[in-house]
Amino acid sequence: MEALTTIRPELLTLTDGQLQALMPYFLVFGGISLAIIASVLRSLKPKWPVFILGMLTTIAGICSASGLLGSQAGSELIFNGMMVSDAYSNFFNIVFLASAAFTLLSSFRYLDHEQLQHPEYYVLVLFSALGMMLMASALDLIVLFIALELMSLSVYVLVGFRRADRRCNEAAMKYFILGSAASAILLYGSALLYGMTGSTNIRDILAFVQAHPQGLPVVYVLGAWLVLVGFLFKVATVPFHMWMPDVYEGAPTPVTGFMTTGLKAAAFAAFVRVLISAGYGKGLVTAVQSHFHDILWVSAVLTMLVGNIVALTQVNLKRMLAYSSIAHSGYILVGMIAGPGSEQGYAPVVMYLVAYAVMNLGAFVVLTILAGRDDSGLNLQDLAGLSRRHPWLSFAMGVFMFSMAGIPPTAGFAAKYLLFYSAVQANEIPLVIIAVLCSAISVYYYLRVLVYIYMRDPAGSPAASRVSVWSLVAVSAMVVLTLQIGILPAKMVSAAKKAVTSL
Amino acid sequence: MDISPVFFYLFAGLALGCSLLVVLKKNPVASAFNLVMVFFAFAGIYAMLDAHLIAALQVLVYAGAIMVLFLFVIMLLNADVPSFDLQRSHPGARVVAGLLCAVLLLAFVWAFKNSPSPVEPGQFSASRIEAAGGNTRVVSELLFSEYILPFELTSVLLLGAIVGAVAIAKRKQKVGAGGGVK
């Protein structure tokens, strides 16, 4: 019997490459620590320093991650294979940090306006972004779970940030309880996987799957199934979507924007990584493969149908965008189903996540500007005649709505085209037909917003909202990005392809 | 390693029964005390698995420190006054929920019956841990070498939770009592 070796010296040091690969995480955590210190200093009013620290942190993180994306060849395993720094994780790090940065930009004036200007807000957004970054790079189910909790815990608090508001409290409570239940399901599934495979590392789990081509134990499938349910809950697909509209409506508008983009991208990024390792791919166990395929297929169809059809009847814009967000989760699931069968692999999924993040964040920044006190004034009627009050914002909203409906020349069209094309390649013709039909339904409720903005007369003469420079910067950047990805998608496609090759 | 089935079923049954009571009791203080029992039952199971350190920590940290905090919060918040109507759920919904739970339970039982016993025991068998210097030593060494990342990340998570708690609690005087504290 060989003796246990519990201290392995090679695990106690970090090589230069590993230190470099950890740079984005160190920068963000350093920024968080500074922001916490700045928010308790009594001598200065914490609003400006914490906001600027937050912005600097995200920008530094983006710079460092994009530097790694350019220079790193292959992937760097860190901490005994607990996490990995590769093109995939760095690509998503940029997405998460950018989404956090634009959320901070659009929140600044909003928090003043709502008298919610507390420095903890910025710190929590950064914490949540750190959780997302770790989620996309976790290679171990334990790390994945802790990262998920770090992300969710911060967002639970952000959702309930407007303490005096009943709806806001209800949304936070609902999200907290249901989210914890989903985390518990995910954790139980991970425990079962660990019990069957003897490892929590997702590469080792993949090795276990590959070593059993004739079939896997039932308990393994049960565990994988529970993990799947946990993720499907986090990305809010039908039938695990019930929490989403209430939470999206109750949360402060910039937080909702952050949730639809960062949170969703993080959940999908980790979902893809784990699903592949759990045996979802060509050439692995056929029974498991088709089992997962069927679950995802049913969920994707239901998600697209329910999301799009219920969105038709919504008059509150935040609720409408919540259902539209559910529908978009359905499209992304289509990409995940097609992943193993098409030659682009999961690149369309990554591309779609980016396009969706850009256009949706843009739409929510516009809503944040327009929101009245306590997020009132976000119904369709309130937008009537907006083109006369805010011509530039109306144009921006138009671009985002066209993009979400998937009309060229916008990012939404390019992403949808790529996604459906890969599904055709994977021979998922019925799925593509349903997806395209759902997409056609969605044009109605997206363009209805524009009808109100441009063609209806307002009731009375509503005053124009004050637009802060920060929000204007955010909206303009999103419009430019939406059009740029739409007109010249090649660069983004190749970046997405590079990201998924490292999976 | 032998586990006495009598004690296993005793502790497991105790854990299950008390967990159910945690959910079903209407008085939060009673729920909290049942939770203490759950923690003790877990500690018993851990001890039977030769994880004596974890068993001791379970009693000290969970049943001791954390539950005291729980009870403090419950009593300070006066949470034994129900703030919402517990009878609101539809009786039909209860039946459906019960049926679904039963189906899920059967699925689990079937799955565990039809699976081979788990893969060969891992490297951390009782005798090898004994040879390497005992539970405490092995756990602490692993925690600071192989599992350093999750360990440190937990600290980050706790820091985030503290900031969140401050954000929730700080404005309480201004807006008056409302909502619960998580």
Side-chain angles (χ1 to χ4, degrees):
Chain A
M1 185 177 72
E2 56 176 312
L4 270 180
T5 49
T6 48
I7 294 191
R8 282 186 275 157
E10 75 270 15
L11 295 181
L12 299 180
T13 51
L14 289 169
T15 63
D16 284 348
Q18 289 175 325
L19 267 178
Q20 257 173 20
L22 281 172
M23 238 11 224
Y25 309 91
F26 284 148
L27 283 172
V28 172
F29 185 67
I32 291 174
S33 315
L34 286 179
I36 292 177
I37 294 169
S39 47
V40 292
L41 288 181
R42 291 256 175 110
S43 52
L44 38 90
K45 226 178 158 205
K47 152 178 146 177
W48 276 100
V50 179
F51 171 66
I52 291 171
L53 266 174
M55 286 310 295
L56 286 179
T57 306
T58 47
I59 292 168
I62 291 172
C63 290
S64 135
S66 41
L68 282 172
L69 195 60
S71 66
Q72 210 173 38
S75 54
E76 186 86 58
L77 287 176
I78 315 166
F79 295 120
N80 192 28
M82 290 264 170
M83 62 184 276
V84 65
S85 167
D86 53 16
Y88 185 76
S89 57
N90 279 315
F91 183 86
F92 272 108
N93 284 349
I94 297 172
V95 175
F96 302 144
L97 286 171
S99 138
F102 284 109
T103 306
L104 292 184
L105 275 181
S106 69
S107 306
F108 191 63
R109 171 56 67 78
Y110 176 87
L111 294 180
D112 266 343
H113 184 67
E114 299 272 320
Q115 294 179 332
L116 288 173
Q117 191 63 266
H118 301 285
E120 291 87 6
Y121 181 91
Y122 305 105
V123 178
L124 285 170
V125 170
L126 290 179
F127 262 120
S128 177
L130 182 66
M132 293 169 191
M133 291 164 65
L134 287 161
M135 252 180 103
S137 45
L139 267 193
D140 192 280
L141 292 175
I142 302 175
V143 177
L144 179 77
F145 180 74
I146 297 176
L148 177 80
E149 283 301 292
L150 178 60
M151 173 185 88
S152 315
L153 208 62
S154 321
V155 176
Y156 297 147
V157 178
L158 286 175
V159 167
F161 212 72
R162 196 187 295 119
R163 277 288 312 269
D165 185 13
R166 240 190 113 82
R167 263 186 325 160
C168 200
N169 279 323
E170 186 195 331
M173 240 12 233
K174 223 175 223 173
Y175 189 31
F176 177 59
I177 291 172
L178 289 175
S180 311
S183 297
I185 291 174
L186 186 76
L187 194 60
Y188 190 42
S190 313
L192 289 182
L193 289 186
Y194 175 62
M196 291 319 290
T197 61
S199 174
T200 50
N201 192 301
I202 65 175
R203 296 251 161 105
D204 292 346
I205 294 176
L206 181 62
F208 175 86
V209 174
Q210 281 162 341
H212 292 76
Q214 72 285 6
L216 289 161
V218 189
V219 174
Y220 175 90
V221 179
L222 199 63
W225 193 62
L226 289 178
V227 170
L228 196 71
V229 168
F231 274 116
L232 286 179
F233 179 91
K234 285 286 167 196
V235 298
T237 56
V238 178
F240 309 106
H241 68 290
M242 301 302 287
W243 57 277
M244 201 182 208
D246 290 341
V247 173
Y248 274 25
E249 195 189 355
T253 315
V255 175
T256 315
F258 188 48
M259 284 176 71
T260 53
T261 55
L263 218 74
K264 180 168 255 181
F268 267 112
F271 193 10
V272 169
R273 237 195 234 282
V274 171
L275 201 63
I276 292 173
S277 77
Y280 187 70
K282 273 259 155 23
L284 292 171
V285 189
T286 345
V288 177
Q289 153 82 22
S290 64
H291 188 63
F292 283 166
H293 174 271
D294 293 348
I295 295 178
L296 289 181
W297 200 93
V298 172
S299 186
V301 170
L302 282 177
T303 307
M304 288 187 291
L305 284 174
V306 172
N308 280 311
I309 290 171
V310 181
L312 289 175
T313 61
Q314 302 301 320
V315 285
N316 182 294
L317 278 172
K318 268 163 101 183
R319 251 189 128 73
M320 188 272 269
L321 284 176
Y323 281 105
S324 115
S325 168
I326 294 172
H328 283 280
S329 287
Y331 302 138
I332 297 170
L333 279 187
V334 171
M336 291 184 65
I337 293 166
S342 77
E343 60 186 47
Q344 290 121 318
Y346 294 94
V349 174
V350 174
M351 166 89 181
Y352 201 93
L353 282 172
V354 174
Y356 178 70
V358 169
M359 59 203 184
N360 211 37
L361 201 54
F364 271 101
V365 176
V366 174
L367 290 191
T368 308
I369 298 171
L370 297 179
R373 203 129 171 74
D374 290 337
D375 280 344
S376 58
L378 288 181
N379 293 326
L380 270 174
Q381 298 91 314
D382 300 313
L383 289 187
L386 186 76
S387 58
R388 268 164 267 164
R389 275 171 282 155
H390 294 289
W392 166 238
L393 286 184
S394 308
F395 169 74
M397 198 64 177
V399 172
F400 300 137
M401 288 297 135
F402 272 117
S403 181
M404 284 203 223
I407 295 168
T410 52
F413 169 74
K416 241 177 214 168
Y417 174 78
L418 206 69
L419 196 80
F420 293 165
Y421 180 61
S422 83
V424 171
Q425 272 188 335
N427 220 3
E428 297 284 352
I429 307 297
L431 197 59
V432 176
I433 293 173
I434 297 172
V436 170
L437 286 179
C438 285
S439 203
I441 297 176
S442 76
V443 173
Y444 172 75
Y445 59 83
Y446 289 130
L447 294 194
R448 192 169 55 167
V449 175
L450 295 186
V451 169
Y452 271 91
I453 289 180
Y454 281 99
M455 299 173 196
R456 293 281 166 94
D457 288 325
S461 51
S465 322
R466 284 170 57 200
V467 186
S468 78
V469 186
W470 304 112
S471 315
L472 216 55
V473 170
V475 172
S476 312
M478 288 306 163
V479 170
V480 170
L481 269 176
T482 308
L483 292 175
Q484 198 243 329
I485 298 176
I487 296 169
L488 301 164
K491 209 172 163 196
M492 190 51 78
V493 173
S494 67
K497 273 190 180 149
K498 191 185 164 201
V500 293
T501 44
S502 67
L503 271 175
Chain B
M1 176 176 50
D2 303 309
I3 294 183
S4 147
V6 179
F7 280 104
F8 175 77
Y9 283 114
L10 180 71
F11 284 127
L14 197 64
L16 275 177
C18 289
S19 314
L20 267 179
L21 285 179
V22 173
V23 185
L24 296 177
K25 282 275 178 193
K26 280 185 187 156
N27 183 347
V29 178
S31 290
F33 276 110
N34 278 305
L35 197 56
V36 177
M37 287 310 293
V38 176
F39 288 150
F40 270 110
F42 276 5
I45 292 176
Y46 293 147
M48 285 195 305
L49 290 167
D50 281 333
H52 303 118
L53 176 69
I54 308 293
L57 287 181
Q58 175 82 14
V59 173
L60 286 178
V61 177
Y62 280 91
I66 290 182
M67 281 319 295
V68 170
L69 276 181
F70 254 54
L71 283 173
F72 265 141
V73 170
I74 291 172
M75 287 169 175
L76 280 178
L77 282 180
N78 228 356
D80 47 348
V81 185
S83 57
F84 60 95
D85 187 9
L86 286 165
Q87 302 299 327
R88 216 170 41 178
S89 66
H90 196 266
R94 289 183 185 192
V95 173
V96 174
L99 277 178
L100 286 177
C101 284
V103 169
L104 194 65
L105 186 67
L106 282 179
F108 269 85
V109 171
W110 178 81
F112 278 104
K113 284 264 178 215
N114 282 288
S115 259
S117 57
V119 279
E120 67 277 7
Q123 51 171 336
F124 299 110
S125 61
S127 52
R128 291 177 76 188
I129 288 175
E130 203 59 54
N135 256 314
T136 314
R137 184 179 180 138
V138 171
V139 168
S140 53
E141 282 175 358
L142 282 175
L143 212 51
F144 284 99
S145 62
E146 204 164 324
Y147 291 92
I148 185 81
L149 179 65
F151 180 72
E152 295 296 343
L153 277 186
T154 314
S155 329
V156 177
L157 175 65
L158 288 177
L159 187 62
I162 292 171
V163 174
V166 169
I168 289 181
K170 201 169 127 188
R171 287 154 289 143
K172 193 150 193 200
Q173 308 92 319
K174 219 188 287 175
V175 293
V181 169
K182 293 178 225 162

